[in-house]
Amino acid sequence: MASQVDAVEREFLLCARYGELEEMLEELAKGADVMARGDGGNTALHMACANGHEAIVAALLDRGAEPSATNDCGNTPAHYAAQQRHAPCLRLIVAREGADVLRQNEFGRSALTDAIASGDGAVATIALEHDSATEEKRDAFDRARVVELGGGCGVGGLALAAACPTARVVVTDCFAETLENAAHNVALFREDRPDEQTLEPWFGSTARVASAKLDWDAEPGETCDFVVGADLVYHEAVVDKLVRTVVRLQAKEFWYAAPTSGRAGGDAFLARLETLGFEHVARDAPPAYGANALADGDDDKFLLYFPDVATATFALHRFVRPFK
């Protein structure tokens, strides 16, 4: 009897591996365990995700297959869907309660790590937008040193500092008038947080949040963990300077928001970073990115001061430095 059950489950696993839906359901009807394991401890769900069989994945999940099951190496089905760039399968997996894209295998890699490394924008977006990835995004900036390039009035850097209370943030620019504006807003930010500790000097300040002059034609003089920026390219002439600054800061990641079109040199800038070996993941900005953010909600004033926001579409870019 045991050998007959074993044969049924072997056939069940093969059907899942090769995408034979009707045949797989027949084997389940014969008594195959939906969580049966084959070579390497792989379940049918592992095999279906690895081979991109969306219908098989859906059927298995509906019949109780465990989306977070691990094989002998600690890989979940989500690991395989991410590694093999099967976005529809990954979407089905992470939609289930308890799915965790941060769970690591024996090699210390999570499904989120594999999704970003895959180079597939759809796969990376699914993993990045999952609820379980939120804490990693925040924790990534824990005690990190962050430089905002072309910070203007400092909205981006100050928002990050507020969301990540242990991150050190310096809002940089090279124009005196702009820096004066940024310094004013940084001072207001500090007034709201009078009890923050004094830290070791960095970019000329011992405060957790500061502003500083940074000319893209000069050596930064400091390094950091993250670089962030928004809409930094307006002309092809700044591309080389900006790329050089990002590289010289030696950050492990560069997070960038920009319009999808209408910026001379914008595409060249993104391409240059890829040429230098940065792993690039991009996704469309959510609709809220272009919403009226003014405190008084005055739409006329919003259109007056931010005319591009109402008409442009935006993309969010994440560049990961694969070298030291």
PDB file of all heavy atoms in Angstrom, residues 125-153:
ATOM      1  N   THR A 125       9.102  44.623  -8.167  1.00  0.00           N
ATOM      2  CA  THR A 125       8.030  45.468  -7.657  1.00  0.00           C
ATOM      3  C   THR A 125       7.087  44.679  -6.760  1.00  0.00           C
ATOM      4  O   THR A 125       6.668  45.161  -5.700  1.00  0.00           O
ATOM      5  CB  THR A 125       7.246  46.095  -8.819  1.00  0.00           C
ATOM      6  OG1 THR A 125       8.125  46.942  -9.568  1.00  0.00           O
ATOM      7  CG2 THR A 125       6.070  46.921  -8.316  1.00  0.00           C
ATOM      8  N   ILE A 126       6.730  43.468  -7.172  1.00  0.00           N
ATOM      9  CA  ILE A 126       5.837  42.630  -6.362  1.00  0.00           C
ATOM     10  C   ILE A 126       6.440  42.396  -4.987  1.00  0.00           C
ATOM     11  O   ILE A 126       5.760  42.503  -3.957  1.00  0.00           O
ATOM     12  CB  ILE A 126       5.562  41.288  -7.066  1.00  0.00           C
ATOM     13  CG1 ILE A 126       4.722  41.512  -8.322  1.00  0.00           C
ATOM     14  CG2 ILE A 126       4.871  40.302  -6.126  1.00  0.00           C
ATOM     15  CD1 ILE A 126       4.645  40.304  -9.233  1.00  0.00           C
ATOM     16  N   ALA A 127       7.729  42.086  -4.946  1.00  0.00           N
ATOM     17  CA  ALA A 127       8.387  41.818  -3.667  1.00  0.00           C
ATOM     18  C   ALA A 127       8.532  43.087  -2.832  1.00  0.00           C
ATOM     19  O   ALA A 127       8.273  43.082  -1.624  1.00  0.00           O
ATOM     20  CB  ALA A 127       9.755  41.184  -3.908  1.00  0.00           C
ATOM     21  N   LEU A 128       8.929  44.179  -3.469  1.00  0.00           N
ATOM     22  CA  LEU A 128       9.153  45.431  -2.748  1.00  0.00           C
ATOM     23  C   LEU A 128       7.863  45.995  -2.158  1.00  0.00           C
ATOM     24  O   LEU A 128       7.881  46.617  -1.092  1.00  0.00           O
ATOM     25  CB  LEU A 128       9.782  46.470  -3.679  1.00  0.00           C
ATOM     26  CG  LEU A 128      11.264  46.295  -3.989  1.00  0.00           C
ATOM     27  CD1 LEU A 128      11.672  47.169  -5.167  1.00  0.00           C
ATOM     28  CD2 LEU A 128      12.113  46.624  -2.764  1.00  0.00           C
ATOM     29  N   GLU A 129       6.740  45.776  -2.848  1.00  0.00           N
ATOM     30  CA  GLU A 129       5.478  46.350  -2.394  1.00  0.00           C
ATOM     31  C   GLU A 129       4.737  45.465  -1.396  1.00  0.00           C
ATOM     32  O   GLU A 129       3.709  45.873  -0.859  1.00  0.00           O
ATOM     33  CB  GLU A 129       4.581  46.641  -3.599  1.00  0.00           C
ATOM     34  CG  GLU A 129       5.101  47.781  -4.470  1.00  0.00           C
ATOM     35  CD  GLU A 129       4.164  48.132  -5.604  1.00  0.00           C
ATOM     36  OE1 GLU A 129       3.273  47.315  -5.918  1.00  0.00           O
ATOM     37  OE2 GLU A 129       4.312  49.218  -6.182  1.00  0.00           O
ATOM     38  N   HIS A 130       5.267  44.281  -1.135  1.00  0.00           N
ATOM     39  CA  HIS A 130       4.595  43.408  -0.183  1.00  0.00           C
ATOM     40  C   HIS A 130       4.744  43.952   1.235  1.00  0.00           C
ATOM     41  O   HIS A 130       5.772  44.533   1.590  1.00  0.00           O
ATOM     42  CB  HIS A 130       5.161  41.983  -0.258  1.00  0.00           C
ATOM     43  CG  HIS A 130       4.360  40.994   0.517  1.00  0.00           C
ATOM     44  ND1 HIS A 130       4.749  40.500   1.725  1.00  0.00           N
ATOM     45  CD2 HIS A 130       3.151  40.430   0.258  1.00  0.00           C
ATOM     46  CE1 HIS A 130       3.831  39.661   2.182  1.00  0.00           C
ATOM     47  NE2 HIS A 130       2.857  39.602   1.311  1.00  0.00           N
ATOM     48  N   ASP A 131       3.723  43.758   2.041  1.00  0.00           N
ATOM     49  CA  ASP A 131       3.725  44.296   3.400  1.00  0.00           C
ATOM     50  C   ASP A 131       4.930  43.822   4.208  1.00  0.00           C
ATOM     51  O   ASP A 131       5.465  44.574   5.035  1.00  0.00           O
ATOM     52  CB  ASP A 131       2.441  43.894   4.137  1.00  0.00           C
ATOM     53  CG  ASP A 131       1.219  44.630   3.614  1.00  0.00           C
ATOM     54  OD1 ASP A 131       1.399  45.634   2.909  1.00  0.00           O
ATOM     55  OD2 ASP A 131       0.097  44.182   3.898  1.00  0.00           O
ATOM     56  N   SER A 132       5.367  42.585   3.994  1.00  0.00           N
ATOM     57  CA  SER A 132       6.473  42.056   4.792  1.00  0.00           C
ATOM     58  C   SER A 132       7.798  42.730   4.454  1.00  0.00           C
ATOM     59  O   SER A 132       8.766  42.611   5.210  1.00  0.00           O
ATOM     60  CB  SER A 132       6.602  40.539   4.578  1.00  0.00           C
ATOM     61  OG  SER A 132       6.963  40.228   3.241  1.00  0.00           O
ATOM     62  N   ALA A 133       7.860  43.451   3.338  1.00  0.00           N
ATOM     63  CA  ALA A 133       9.104  44.136   2.957  1.00  0.00           C
ATOM     64  C   ALA A 133       9.216  45.504   3.605  1.00  0.00           C
ATOM     65  O   ALA A 133      10.301  46.106   3.608  1.00  0.00           O
ATOM     66  CB  ALA A 133       9.183  44.284   1.440  1.00  0.00           C
ATOM     67  N   THR A 134       8.124  46.004   4.167  1.00  0.00           N
ATOM     68  CA  THR A 134       8.113  47.365   4.691  1.00  0.00           C
ATOM     69  C   THR A 134       9.158  47.570   5.763  1.00  0.00           C
ATOM     70  O   THR A 134       9.889  48.560   5.764  1.00  0.00           O
ATOM     71  CB  THR A 134       6.724  47.713   5.263  1.00  0.00           C
ATOM     72  OG1 THR A 134       5.760  47.566   4.238  1.00  0.00           O
ATOM     73  CG2 THR A 134       6.701  49.138   5.783  1.00  0.00           C
ATOM     74  N   GLU A 135       9.261  46.632   6.689  1.00  0.00           N
ATOM     75  CA  GLU A 135      10.203  46.809   7.787  1.00  0.00           C
ATOM     76  C   GLU A 135      11.633  46.790   7.282  1.00  0.00           C
ATOM     77  O   GLU A 135      12.486  47.505   7.794  1.00  0.00           O
ATOM     78  CB  GLU A 135      10.009  45.719   8.848  1.00  0.00           C
ATOM     79  CG  GLU A 135       8.777  45.940   9.697  1.00  0.00           C
ATOM     80  CD  GLU A 135       8.759  47.311  10.348  1.00  0.00           C
ATOM     81  OE1 GLU A 135       9.786  47.735  10.901  1.00  0.00           O
ATOM     82  OE2 GLU A 135       7.721  47.983  10.291  1.00  0.00           O
ATOM     83  N   GLU A 136      11.924  45.986   6.257  1.00  0.00           N
ATOM     84  CA  GLU A 136      13.292  45.979   5.741  1.00  0.00           C
ATOM     85  C   GLU A 136      13.619  47.318   5.111  1.00  0.00           C
ATOM     86  O   GLU A 136      14.731  47.832   5.240  1.00  0.00           O
ATOM     87  CB  GLU A 136      13.508  44.862   4.726  1.00  0.00           C
ATOM     88  CG  GLU A 136      14.956  44.840   4.248  1.00  0.00           C
ATOM     89  CD  GLU A 136      15.280  43.737   3.288  1.00  0.00           C
ATOM     90  OE1 GLU A 136      14.896  43.856   2.126  1.00  0.00           O
ATOM     91  OE2 GLU A 136      15.952  42.779   3.698  1.00  0.00           O
ATOM     92  N   LYS A 137      12.653  47.913   4.400  1.00  0.00           N
ATOM     93  CA  LYS A 137      12.911  49.220   3.807  1.00  0.00           C
ATOM     94  C   LYS A 137      13.267  50.221   4.898  1.00  0.00           C
ATOM     95  O   LYS A 137      14.192  51.015   4.750  1.00  0.00           O
ATOM     96  CB  LYS A 137      11.666  49.709   3.048  1.00  0.00           C
ATOM     97  CG  LYS A 137      11.317  48.891   1.819  1.00  0.00           C
ATOM     98  CD  LYS A 137      10.028  49.408   1.225  1.00  0.00           C
ATOM     99  CE  LYS A 137       9.469  48.445   0.204  1.00  0.00           C
ATOM    100  NZ  LYS A 137       8.162  48.886  -0.289  1.00  0.00           N
ATOM    101  N   ARG A 138      12.527  50.184   6.000  1.00  0.00           N
ATOM    102  CA  ARG A 138      12.801  51.122   7.075  1.00  0.00           C
ATOM    103  C   ARG A 138      14.086  50.741   7.789  1.00  0.00           C
ATOM    104  O   ARG A 138      14.928  51.585   8.075  1.00  0.00           O
ATOM    105  CB  ARG A 138      11.626  51.141   8.047  1.00  0.00           C
ATOM    106  CG  ARG A 138      11.780  52.139   9.172  1.00  0.00           C
ATOM    107  CD  ARG A 138      10.504  52.245   9.981  1.00  0.00           C
ATOM    108  NE  ARG A 138       9.404  52.721   9.172  1.00  0.00           N
ATOM    109  CZ  ARG A 138       8.150  52.821   9.614  1.00  0.00           C
ATOM    110  NH1 ARG A 138       7.850  52.469  10.828  1.00  0.00           N
ATOM    111  NH2 ARG A 138       7.194  53.265   8.815  1.00  0.00           N
ATOM    112  N   ASP A 139      14.254  49.452   8.080  1.00  0.00           N
ATOM    113  CA  ASP A 139      15.429  49.007   8.803  1.00  0.00           C
ATOM    114  C   ASP A 139      16.709  49.213   7.998  1.00  0.00           C
ATOM    115  O   ASP A 139      17.795  49.330   8.565  1.00  0.00           O
ATOM    116  CB  ASP A 139      15.298  47.528   9.178  1.00  0.00           C
ATOM    117  CG  ASP A 139      14.226  47.295  10.228  1.00  0.00           C
ATOM    118  OD1 ASP A 139      13.774  48.284  10.831  1.00  0.00           O
ATOM    119  OD2 ASP A 139      13.833  46.133  10.423  1.00  0.00           O
ATOM    120  N   ALA A 140      16.599  49.255   6.666  1.00  0.00           N
ATOM    121  CA  ALA A 140      17.778  49.466   5.836  1.00  0.00           C
ATOM    122  C   ALA A 140      18.444  50.792   6.165  1.00  0.00           C
ATOM    123  O   ALA A 140      19.659  50.940   6.030  1.00  0.00           O
ATOM    124  CB  ALA A 140      17.388  49.434   4.360  1.00  0.00           C
ATOM    125  N   PHE A 141      17.662  51.766   6.627  1.00  0.00           N
ATOM    126  CA  PHE A 141      18.196  53.081   6.950  1.00  0.00           C
ATOM    127  C   PHE A 141      18.544  53.223   8.431  1.00  0.00           C
ATOM    128  O   PHE A 141      18.940  54.295   8.868  1.00  0.00           O
ATOM    129  CB  PHE A 141      17.185  54.167   6.563  1.00  0.00           C
ATOM    130  CG  PHE A 141      17.000  54.312   5.078  1.00  0.00           C
ATOM    131  CD1 PHE A 141      15.930  53.703   4.435  1.00  0.00           C
ATOM    132  CD2 PHE A 141      17.893  55.045   4.314  1.00  0.00           C
ATOM    133  CE1 PHE A 141      15.759  53.823   3.069  1.00  0.00           C
ATOM    134  CE2 PHE A 141      17.734  55.171   2.946  1.00  0.00           C
ATOM    135  CZ  PHE A 141      16.660  54.571   2.319  1.00  0.00           C
ATOM    136  N   ASP A 142      18.403  52.142   9.198  1.00  0.00           N
ATOM    137  CA  ASP A 142      18.699  52.194  10.616  1.00  0.00           C
ATOM    138  C   ASP A 142      20.159  52.578  10.839  1.00  0.00           C
ATOM    139  O   ASP A 142      21.069  51.882  10.402  1.00  0.00           O
ATOM    140  CB  ASP A 142      18.399  50.836  11.266  1.00  0.00           C
ATOM    141  CG  ASP A 142      18.624  50.831  12.757  1.00  0.00           C
ATOM    142  OD1 ASP A 142      18.401  51.884  13.391  1.00  0.00           O
ATOM    143  OD2 ASP A 142      19.042  49.790  13.296  1.00  0.00           O
ATOM    144  N   ARG A 143      20.383  53.714  11.473  1.00  0.00           N
ATOM    145  CA  ARG A 143      21.721  54.234  11.766  1.00  0.00           C
ATOM    146  C   ARG A 143      22.556  54.471  10.509  1.00  0.00           C
ATOM    147  O   ARG A 143      23.778  54.586  10.575  1.00  0.00           O
ATOM    148  CB  ARG A 143      22.469  53.304  12.738  1.00  0.00           C
ATOM    149  CG  ARG A 143      21.695  53.048  14.026  1.00  0.00           C
ATOM    150  CD  ARG A 143      22.485  52.239  15.027  1.00  0.00           C
ATOM    151  NE  ARG A 143      21.643  51.878  16.152  1.00  0.00           N
ATOM    152  CZ  ARG A 143      21.316  52.711  17.142  1.00  0.00           C
ATOM    153  NH1 ARG A 143      21.751  53.958  17.135  1.00  0.00           N
ATOM    154  NH2 ARG A 143      20.542  52.296  18.137  1.00  0.00           N
ATOM    155  N   ALA A 144      21.902  54.552   9.378  1.00  0.00           N
ATOM    156  CA  ALA A 144      22.608  54.787   8.125  1.00  0.00           C
ATOM    157  C   ALA A 144      22.885  56.269   7.928  1.00  0.00           C
ATOM    158  O   ALA A 144      22.166  57.131   8.437  1.00  0.00           O
ATOM    159  CB  ALA A 144      21.785  54.252   6.951  1.00  0.00           C
ATOM    160  N   ARG A 145      23.926  56.565   7.173  1.00  0.00           N
ATOM    161  CA  ARG A 145      24.249  57.935   6.800  1.00  0.00           C
ATOM    162  C   ARG A 145      23.713  58.171   5.394  1.00  0.00           C
ATOM    163  O   ARG A 145      24.096  57.482   4.454  1.00  0.00           O
ATOM    164  CB  ARG A 145      25.763  58.161   6.854  1.00  0.00           C
ATOM    165  CG  ARG A 145      26.341  57.950   8.260  1.00  0.00           C
ATOM    166  CD  ARG A 145      27.844  58.172   8.274  1.00  0.00           C
ATOM    167  NE  ARG A 145      28.504  57.326   7.290  1.00  0.00           N
ATOM    168  CZ  ARG A 145      29.770  57.480   6.902  1.00  0.00           C
ATOM    169  NH1 ARG A 145      30.498  58.470   7.402  1.00  0.00           N
ATOM    170  NH2 ARG A 145      30.310  56.659   6.022  1.00  0.00           N
ATOM    171  N   VAL A 146      22.833  59.140   5.262  1.00  0.00           N
ATOM    172  CA  VAL A 146      22.111  59.376   4.014  1.00  0.00           C
ATOM    173  C   VAL A 146      22.390  60.785   3.512  1.00  0.00           C
ATOM    174  O   VAL A 146      22.276  61.760   4.266  1.00  0.00           O
ATOM    175  CB  VAL A 146      20.584  59.196   4.211  1.00  0.00           C
ATOM    176  CG1 VAL A 146      19.862  59.349   2.879  1.00  0.00           C
ATOM    177  CG2 VAL A 146      20.280  57.846   4.847  1.00  0.00           C
ATOM    178  N   VAL A 147      22.730  60.893   2.243  1.00  0.00           N
ATOM    179  CA  VAL A 147      22.932  62.193   1.604  1.00  0.00           C
ATOM    180  C   VAL A 147      21.829  62.406   0.575  1.00  0.00           C
ATOM    181  O   VAL A 147      21.619  61.554  -0.301  1.00  0.00           O
ATOM    182  CB  VAL A 147      24.298  62.275   0.902  1.00  0.00           C
ATOM    183  CG1 VAL A 147      24.392  63.522   0.023  1.00  0.00           C
ATOM    184  CG2 VAL A 147      25.415  62.298   1.937  1.00  0.00           C
ATOM    185  N   GLU A 148      21.123  63.534   0.688  1.00  0.00           N
ATOM    186  CA  GLU A 148      20.166  63.919  -0.351  1.00  0.00           C
ATOM    187  C   GLU A 148      20.878  64.874  -1.299  1.00  0.00           C
ATOM    188  O   GLU A 148      21.366  65.931  -0.883  1.00  0.00           O
ATOM    189  CB  GLU A 148      18.927  64.584   0.229  1.00  0.00           C
ATOM    190  CG  GLU A 148      17.929  64.962  -0.871  1.00  0.00           C
ATOM    191  CD  GLU A 148      16.708  65.711  -0.378  1.00  0.00           C
ATOM    192  OE1 GLU A 148      16.717  66.213   0.765  1.00  0.00           O
ATOM    193  OE2 GLU A 148      15.734  65.808  -1.167  1.00  0.00           O
ATOM    194  N   LEU A 149      20.938  64.526  -2.578  1.00  0.00           N
ATOM    195  CA  LEU A 149      21.558  65.375  -3.586  1.00  0.00           C
ATOM    196  C   LEU A 149      20.533  66.353  -4.149  1.00  0.00           C
ATOM    197  O   LEU A 149      19.361  66.002  -4.322  1.00  0.00           O
ATOM    198  CB  LEU A 149      22.126  64.528  -4.723  1.00  0.00           C
ATOM    199  CG  LEU A 149      23.288  63.603  -4.374  1.00  0.00           C
ATOM    200  CD1 LEU A 149      23.711  62.817  -5.610  1.00  0.00           C
ATOM    201  CD2 LEU A 149      24.467  64.373  -3.809  1.00  0.00           C
ATOM    202  N   GLY A 150      20.994  67.560  -4.468  1.00  0.00           N
ATOM    203  CA  GLY A 150      20.094  68.553  -5.041  1.00  0.00           C
ATOM    204  C   GLY A 150      18.851  68.711  -4.211  1.00  0.00           C
ATOM    205  O   GLY A 150      17.734  68.744  -4.726  1.00  0.00           O
ATOM    206  N   GLY A 151      19.028  68.807  -2.896  1.00  0.00           N
ATOM    207  CA  GLY A 151      17.918  68.707  -1.956  1.00  0.00           C
ATOM    208  C   GLY A 151      16.916  69.846  -1.992  1.00  0.00           C
ATOM    209  O   GLY A 151      15.804  69.686  -1.493  1.00  0.00           O
ATOM    210  N   GLY A 152      17.291  71.001  -2.546  1.00  0.00           N
ATOM    211  CA  GLY A 152      16.353  72.116  -2.564  1.00  0.00           C
ATOM    212  C   GLY A 152      15.932  72.501  -1.163  1.00  0.00           C
ATOM    213  O   GLY A 152      16.773  72.741  -0.285  1.00  0.00           O
ATOM    214  N   CYS A 153      14.642  72.503  -0.908  1.00  0.00           N
ATOM    215  CA  CYS A 153      14.149  72.868   0.421  1.00  0.00           C
ATOM    216  C   CYS A 153      14.217  71.699   1.402  1.00  0.00           C
ATOM    217  O   CYS A 153      13.878  71.844   2.577  1.00  0.00           O
ATOM    218  CB  CYS A 153      12.723  73.405   0.345  1.00  0.00           C
ATOM    219  SG  CYS A 153      11.525  72.235  -0.301  1.00  0.00           S
TER     220      CYS A 153
END
